[in-house]
Amino acid sequence: MRRKESFERLLGIAFFPQQAYFDIICNLPETSLDRLTCYAAELNLAKLRWQSSRGGYSTKVVPQLKAAQKLPSIPARTRFAPSPTGYLHLGSLRTALYNYLLAKATGGQFLLRIEDTDTKRTISGAEDSICRDLAWAGLQWDEGPQIGGPYAPYRQSERTAQYQEHAAKLLDSRHAYRCFCTQERLDSLARERKRLGLPTYYDRNCLSITKEESDERAHRFEPHVVRLVTPAQYPEYNDLVYGHVGKPKGQRLGPASQNSFEDPVLLKSDGSPTYHLANVVDDHHMKITHVIRGAEWMPSTPKHLELYKAFDWDPPAFAHVALLQDTNKQKLSKRDLNMDLEKLRREGILPEALMNFVALLGWSHSMGSDFFSPQQLIDNFSLKFTKGNVVVNFGKLNYLQGLHFRNYLVEANENVERIVDQIVTHLREDSKIMILPETLNGRTLREFVMALLRMDTSSSFTIASSFVERHRSIFGYRQSEPGRAIKKPRHELLLIAEAVQQIREVQNDNWSVAVLKNRVASVTQYIVQKDNFNLQSAENLKDPNYVNNSLLTWLRWAIVDGQHGPSMFDIMALLGRDTTLRRLKAAQLELSVISEEDAASSSENI
């Protein structure tokens, strides 16, 4: 990974398809052409060799994108239209991100529209939470709540009059009709159709009512809804992901010739719009050109296209992205705590890492790495989405979190300070960790944490709580347990004693990683060349690798209770001379001699 990151840093960009090199070369002056052509060829060869050696990436030439997968040639106007009946989760965030990327990649606009017509289910504070989460994720909208725009208002509850006006137009053109059926009749009809194995659609009982009678009854405020007249058959439509889709749907014949019609409700009895009407009217008047949404909305698309046809409007292009599943191949529930953005943010997940992770949940790319900065996502975005359902593996999020955090450290990003604060808070709230002043080696706790973060390259940073747990023994060393005894052969105890003595001789002004490495190396060399062990159990002491690894293993056990993490020399340098020697002495007191007979047959490592 480090080789790859260095290579990409040298380029200043992520890997890109081979064709891109030749596009660049064709526009170069003749004087630079030969030299750069050779360089580009060598660069591609190095890329292919690196990918092949890793075994995880294909070295095949990536095919050109299909027409539907390419970005539009004009600026796209897209929107994210959440309902404040809940909070933002991974699925809705993915929808917002894809629409945002399409708008930004084409120089267009990204709109935020609040679909708050379902007042009964609206949650107080949900809209503010949605806006806050989007802003934290870096998905700043160009038009919408809080900032306005040329097509305001951007809350559907403030546009009711417009929906009613358009419903009246559909009534006048006979593309819609009023339905005065009571709820009791509708419930009875639904039960009967269910008994007959029919879809619980409407029977068009009110379609035959004349316009005059319908208008007169509505004028008397008789309760009613407005329904769309659906065709006997919905035509197919073109989806940017799935191509030509759609099944014949509409009029259905059941037993005893009982007709069944979908005829969805457009206006409810209280005069408020349903999703179908408000969605289409708003998208048209806000000049939305592209709609990217989850595949669960595909059954609604024919109804929406029928509305566009009834209004004589051009519809936007539709792209439906795959459903998200958990590792058991079940649809990912909105109630899954891992999908709660507020929870992820509190845990310290970085917005760049989350956006990178979410972008890969159904989007395909031809790059050699899954690591994308926000700008790289925009620069490389296309409409190449997978058709199959997508399994959400949060292990990938942790991996990307580590990459983005290391990038934070390199760039000295201000978010590093926020992460340090989170770690410090966890340390202070953990009653099981007692941090002694001398452990900090003259630093403040924040300075100590920052130093540990910078040297912890052996593992990826995920969240603050995991970082604290992984380095628990660095912050608060275990206390010696009464009666605890670790048995070792005599020659191994001599080896340990020699190592401790060499380390003890290093004074504070020379206490550094380089000096400590040299001291341990000199112990290894001394032991390998020593001839007076003369014990069967000491045969391995002639192997320098065995001796060196044994020393480092024991030092890790003695200083940090065997916890994996940064290099032992980095840890010793961080802790300082006094703390290191104190921990070595405590560990030595727990050692005792094992008999030579047992040592000869023992395979226990130091």
Side-chain angles (χ1 to χ4, degrees):
M1 178 55 65
R2 185 172 296 175
R3 289 176 56 200
K4 178 176 180 295
E5 288 176 344
S6 300
F7 194 39
E8 290 182 346
R9 192 175 299 280
L10 175 65
L11 288 176
I13 54 176
F15 285 130
F16 46 92
Q18 187 175 20
Q19 183 62 39
Y21 291 113
F22 298 103
D23 292 340
I24 296 171
I25 292 170
C26 289
N27 294 311
L28 289 174
E30 285 291 326
T31 55
S32 303
L33 185 58
D34 292 340
R35 181 162 53 88
L36 194 57
T37 300
C38 293
Y39 177 68
E42 291 176 0
L43 200 56
N44 272 290
L45 181 59
K47 171 188 172 183
L48 294 179
R49 284 174 176 168
W50 181 86
Q51 291 175 335
S52 179
S53 68
R54 299 294 294 177
Y57 299 93
S58 172
T59 58
K60 296 179 180 178
V61 176
V62 178
Q64 292 293 318
L65 291 174
K66 297 178 181 178
Q69 297 171 340
K70 294 181 179 179
L71 295 178
S73 58
I74 60 172
R77 280 181 63 82
T78 65
R79 49 76 171 172
F80 175 53
S83 171
T85 55
Y87 301 100
L88 213 57
H89 54 78
L90 282 187
S92 53
L93 182 64
R94 182 185 65 162
T95 299
L97 175 61
Y98 286 163
N99 282 282
Y100 172 86
L101 292 176
L102 177 57
K104 298 307 172 184
T106 59
Q109 298 82 39
F110 171 64
L111 283 66
L112 175 62
R113 187 173 71 223
I114 303 299
E115 299 191 341
D116 57 348
T117 57
D118 190 349
T119 55
K120 292 182 180 179
R121 297 176 56 228
T122 295
I123 297 175
S124 177
E127 179 184 328
D128 289 340
S129 175
I130 290 170
C131 292
R132 185 171 59 251
D133 286 341
L134 288 175
W136 169 79
L139 305 185
Q140 182 58 54
W141 51 100
D142 301 298
E143 301 173 26
Q146 301 179 355
I147 62 175
Y151 303 100
Y154 293 91
R155 293 182 185 87
Q156 288 186 341
S157 59
E158 300 172 9
R159 301 170 64 88
T160 302
Q162 189 176 41
Y163 307 134
Q164 293 173 344
E165 176 188 340
H166 282 80
K169 291 181 179 180
L170 292 177
L171 289 171
D172 291 340
S173 65
R174 308 296 291 178
H175 286 100
Y177 63 96
R178 295 186 182 94
C179 173
F180 296 91
C181 292
T182 64
Q183 189 61 50
E184 289 75 17
R185 181 182 186 276
L186 294 175
D187 290 342
S188 175
L189 179 65
R191 286 194 297 269
E192 179 63 16
R193 291 196 177 280
K194 185 176 181 181
R195 185 185 68 82
L196 296 173
L198 294 171
T200 55
Y201 291 157
Y202 184 55
D203 61 357
R204 285 186 176 173
N205 179 66
C206 295
L207 180 62
S208 60
I209 298 175
T210 65
K211 186 178 187 303
E212 291 74 17
E213 179 186 347
S214 176
D215 290 345
E216 194 272 333
R217 293 172 69 174
H219 187 69
R220 296 200 314 262
F221 301 104
E222 184 174 341
H224 66 276
V225 299
V226 175
R227 292 181 180 272
L228 175 70
V229 179
T230 55
Q233 220 176 27
Y234 285 131
E236 287 188 344
Y237 68 92
N238 184 59
D239 186 275
L240 295 178
V241 178
Y242 292 89
H244 291 287
V245 296
K247 296 179 180 179
K249 193 175 182 181
Q251 179 176 341
R252 294 171 183 248
L253 298 177
S257 297
Q258 296 190 37
N259 290 341
S260 175
F261 302 88
E262 188 168 11
D263 290 4
V265 173
L266 301 179
L267 273 186
K268 294 180 261 189
S269 58
D270 62 359
S272 62
T274 62
Y275 168 79
H276 304 299
L277 178 63
N279 180 276
V280 168
V281 170
D282 286 347
D283 281 352
H284 172 73
H285 286 287
M286 294 179 182
K287 302 188 184 304
I288 300 301
T289 63
H290 292 75
V291 173
I292 303 178
R293 57 188 181 185
E296 65 269 23
W297 291 108
M298 290 182 75
S300 297
T301 305
K303 290 188 279 288
H304 297 169
L305 291 174
E306 194 63 29
L307 273 169
Y308 280 104
K309 181 180 178 181
F311 284 122
D312 195 24
W313 295 338
D314 291 330
F318 289 94
H320 291 91
V321 292
L323 297 176
L324 300 181
Q325 295 182 324
D326 60 24
T327 52
N328 295 320
K329 302 296 181 69
Q330 300 298 313
K331 182 180 178 181
L332 206 59
S333 170
K334 295 179 182 180
R335 295 176 177 84
D336 188 328
L337 286 177
N338 284 330
M339 295 185 66
D340 185 348
L341 256 65
E342 180 66 26
K343 173 178 179 288
L344 294 175
R345 187 169 69 231
R346 287 196 309 269
E347 287 183 343
I349 294 296
L350 307 174
E352 294 89 342
L354 185 60
M355 291 303 96
N356 191 166
F357 172 67
V358 170
L360 299 174
L361 297 177
W363 172 61
S364 299
H365 62 87
S366 58
M367 312 303 287
S369 167
D370 279 343
F371 176 85
F372 290 92
S373 69
Q375 187 59 48
Q376 285 173 331
L377 285 174
I378 294 173
D379 294 341
N380 293 282
F381 188 68
S382 71
L383 296 175
K384 188 179 181 183
F385 299 112
T386 57
K387 295 181 180 180
N389 293 336
V390 179
V391 174
V392 178
N393 182 352
F394 286 97
K396 186 65 170 285
L397 174 58
N398 292 335
Y399 165 74
L400 292 170
Q401 171 88 343
L403 295 184
H404 281 277
F405 179 73
R406 287 205 291 272
N407 195 51
Y408 270 11
L409 289 175
V410 171
E411 297 178 354
N413 191 294
E414 62 182 12
N415 286 303
V416 174
E417 298 296 330
R418 178 174 55 82
I419 292 170
V420 171
D421 289 338
Q422 291 175 343
I423 295 173
V424 169
T425 298
H426 275 281
L427 286 168
R428 287 173 174 165
E429 292 178 351
D430 193 330
S431 59
K432 296 180 180 179
I433 297 180
M434 184 178 66
I435 304 176
L436 300 175
E438 51 267 31
T439 300
L440 302 180
N441 193 24
R443 299 179 176 89
T444 65
L445 182 55
R446 294 189 84 265
E447 291 171 341
F448 188 89
V449 168
M450 178 65 81
L452 181 55
L453 279 168
R454 292 191 178 281
M455 75 184 200
D456 185 20
T457 59
S458 62
S459 56
S460 296
F461 174 87
T462 53
I463 58 178
S465 57
S466 296
F467 180 85
V468 170
E469 184 61 34
R470 189 166 66 247
H471 299 301
R472 179 176 296 274
S473 292
I474 293 180
F475 292 111
Y477 182 62
R478 59 171 172 79
Q479 300 296 318
S480 297
E481 300 177 11
R484 178 177 177 179
I486 306 299
K487 294 186 176 182
K488 296 290 181 184
R490 184 176 300 279
H491 67 274
E492 292 184 1
L493 295 180
L494 294 174
L495 170 61
I496 290 170
E498 181 66 26
V500 171
Q501 179 58 35
Q502 288 291 325
I503 292 171
R504 184 178 289 111
E505 290 177 0
V506 181
Q507 300 304 309
N508 280 321
D509 54 353
N510 285 326
W511 192 267
S512 66
V513 171
V515 172
L516 292 169
K517 278 185 178 180
N518 288 335
R519 288 289 176 152
V520 172
S522 66
V523 173
T524 299
Q525 185 177 10
Y526 167 76
I527 295 298
V528 170
Q529 295 176 352
K530 192 174 178 64
D531 294 326
N532 60 348
F533 283 114
N534 298 322
L535 298 170
Q536 182 180 354
S537 59
E539 291 179 357
N540 287 331
L541 298 185
K542 295 301 180 183
D543 181 352
N545 291 328
Y546 173 83
V547 174
N548 187 69
N549 291 338
S550 296
L551 281 174
L552 294 178
T553 299
W554 183 81
L555 288 173
R556 185 170 295 278
W557 171 80
I559 297 173
V560 292
D561 206 19
Q563 276 194 325
H564 295 291
S567 157
M568 278 314 304
F569 303 111
D570 288 329
I571 293 175
M572 288 158 56
L574 176 68
L575 292 173
R577 182 176 186 274
D578 293 345
T579 298
T580 298
L581 294 180
R582 184 167 51 254
R583 293 187 178 188
L584 291 176
K585 181 178 179 181
Q588 276 186 292
L589 293 176
E590 296 181 357
L591 299 176
S592 62
V593 181
I594 190 175
S595 68
E596 291 302 335
E597 292 76 10
D598 292 338
S601 59
S602 174
S603 59
E604 182 183 10
N605 288 329
I606 295 177

